[in-house]
Amino acid sequence: MKIRKEQKNMPLIIKYDNKAVLDTAAWIFNIVTSVGIILANKALMASYGFTFATTLTGLHFTATTAMTYILKWLGYIQSSTLPVSDLIKFVLFANFSIVGMNVSLMWNSVGFYQIVKLSMIPVSCFLEVVLDSVRYSRDTKLSILVVLLGVAICTVTDVSVNGKGFLAAFVAVWSTSLQQYYVHHLQKKHSIGSFDLLGHTAPPQAASLLLVGPFLDYWLTDKRVDYYPFTYASLMFIVLSCAIAIGTNLSQFICIGRFTAVSFQVLGHMKTILVLILGFVFFGKEGLNLHVVIGMIVAILGMIWYGHASSQPGGKERIPQQFSSKMEEEIGLVKSNEVNGKV
């Protein structure tokens, strides 16, 4: 009997182990590609003066679109449908996110820009609580605060903001949070995979960003992309950036689809820490001091705590609507019986 019971539990253990391996691989894939694209873009903009961020993002999604067509041809993307209303909302949120973050970085200090990125975590939590009836345990909430504190210590320095900068930051925070929420929501709602969703959203994003990008970049930098003196080296970095962006876009959809927007934001700050470390390694140790190191340690400890707390029973759970409705019916029935008893 004991042997049969152990054999019965074996598939569950194997399934859990496979999920853990796939989850870890997805996170590593996202971290490597995200850090890689930041370093490639930093070299492209700092060394070669290609400061056309929105146009570059349009090129990223053009490369991603080409890859989705190849994946569809190979059979990795299945034929699926996505309502036009959902597609339009997603593309609007995604494009406002890109434009809002670029404008916020131009109009605000770097310190306030980091605060903007940190504020996406509580906004994402708010969206999950309101729209998905998610409930967080005390430890999960505290671990999120520790991550926010640690990243703030090591990234936020000078903080200055103005009216139009605050407006751009507000748009960036909410549009980014909504875009990441929709990545998870649409995959669950329409039962489509990350490849399929990316195949639907990448083409309209590429077209719209390539259309708007040059004008927005000219407004922000007072430079025209068609006047940029392209060289062999700068073109190679653009191609490299686009190649890495394919992995970044795909890994984002995979990670948010497997987890949630909040987990993606919290554990995603590991990328911020790695970018800081690699920046000190490759671009000099200017700015590296004790409080930055302390901030990194606090943030990493907070991420480990979040991973443990959110995986515990009740750490982060969605309250089923059927359960809520049943509770309401039972409460109503109790009240009705009390009234009848009084009568």
Side-chain angles (χ1 to χ4, degrees), residues 320-333:
Q321 292 187 356
Q322 292 181 350
F323 176 77
S324 301
S325 300
K326 189 176 179 182
M327 286 287 291
E328 290 175 2
E329 289 176 4
E330 290 179 353
I331 292 171
L333 184 62

Side-chain angles (χ1 to χ4, degrees), residues 147-158:
V147 173
L148 292 173
L149 175 64
V151 177
I153 290 172
C154 61
T155 60
V156 178
T157 52
D158 62 311

Side-chain angles (χ1 to χ4, degrees), residues 92-291:
L92 284 175
F93 290 145
N95 287 356
F96 271 111
S97 166
I98 294 164
V99 173
M101 293 302 289
N102 289 340
V103 173
S104 176
L105 183 58
M106 293 294 295
W107 285 350
N108 297 315
S109 65
V110 175
F112 186 76
Y113 178 77
Q114 293 296 336
I115 292 175
V116 168
K117 288 169 61 177
L118 290 173
S119 64
M120 291 175 191
I121 293 179
V123 172
S124 295
C125 290
F126 173 79
L127 291 175
E128 286 191 359
V129 169
V130 173
L131 301 178
D132 285 345
S133 301
V134 172
R135 182 173 58 191
Y136 298 92
S137 68
R138 181 180 62 86
D139 282 357
T140 304
K141 294 174 185 175
L142 289 174
S143 66
I144 291 174
L145 290 176
V146 171
V147 173
L148 292 173
L149 175 64
V151 177
I153 290 172
C154 61
T155 60
V156 178
T157 52
D158 62 311
V159 178
S160 62
V161 64
N162 52 58
K164 61 180 184 179
F166 180 82
L167 179 62
F170 182 84
V171 171
V173 169
W174 280 95
S175 57
T176 302
S177 301
L178 283 166
Q179 181 261 341
Q180 292 182 356
Y181 169 81
Y182 260 81
V183 169
H184 182 80
H185 172 73
L186 293 178
Q187 290 187 51
K188 300 299 180 185
K189 178 182 177 182
H190 300 290
S191 299
I192 57 177
S194 52
F195 287 13
D196 303 318
L197 182 59
L198 193 59
H200 284 293
T201 59
Q205 275 195 265
S208 55
L209 288 172
L210 286 179
L211 182 65
V212 176
F215 298 100
L216 181 66
D217 289 333
Y218 177 71
W219 177 51
L220 291 173
T221 65
D222 202 28
K223 297 177 182 178
R224 290 176 52 171
V225 66
D226 55 326
Y227 284 179
Y228 176 77
F230 290 95
T231 63
Y232 178 78
S234 63
L235 284 173
M236 287 299 98
F237 267 100
I238 291 173
V239 171
L240 175 63
S241 178
C242 290
I244 300 174
I246 295 172
T248 305
N249 291 329
L250 182 57
S251 64
Q252 183 194 42
F253 278 51
I254 292 173
C255 285
I256 298 178
R258 295 185 69 85
F259 308 101
T260 62
V262 173
S263 295
F264 181 77
Q265 282 284 344
V266 173
L267 300 180
H269 278 294
M270 177 61 73
K271 294 176 286 190
T272 304
I273 305 301
L274 286 175
V275 168
L276 283 172
I277 294 172
L278 292 175
F280 294 138
V281 172
F282 292 111
F283 301 103
K285 294 182 173 58
E286 183 180 354
L288 179 62
N289 50 48
L290 181 60
H291 88 269

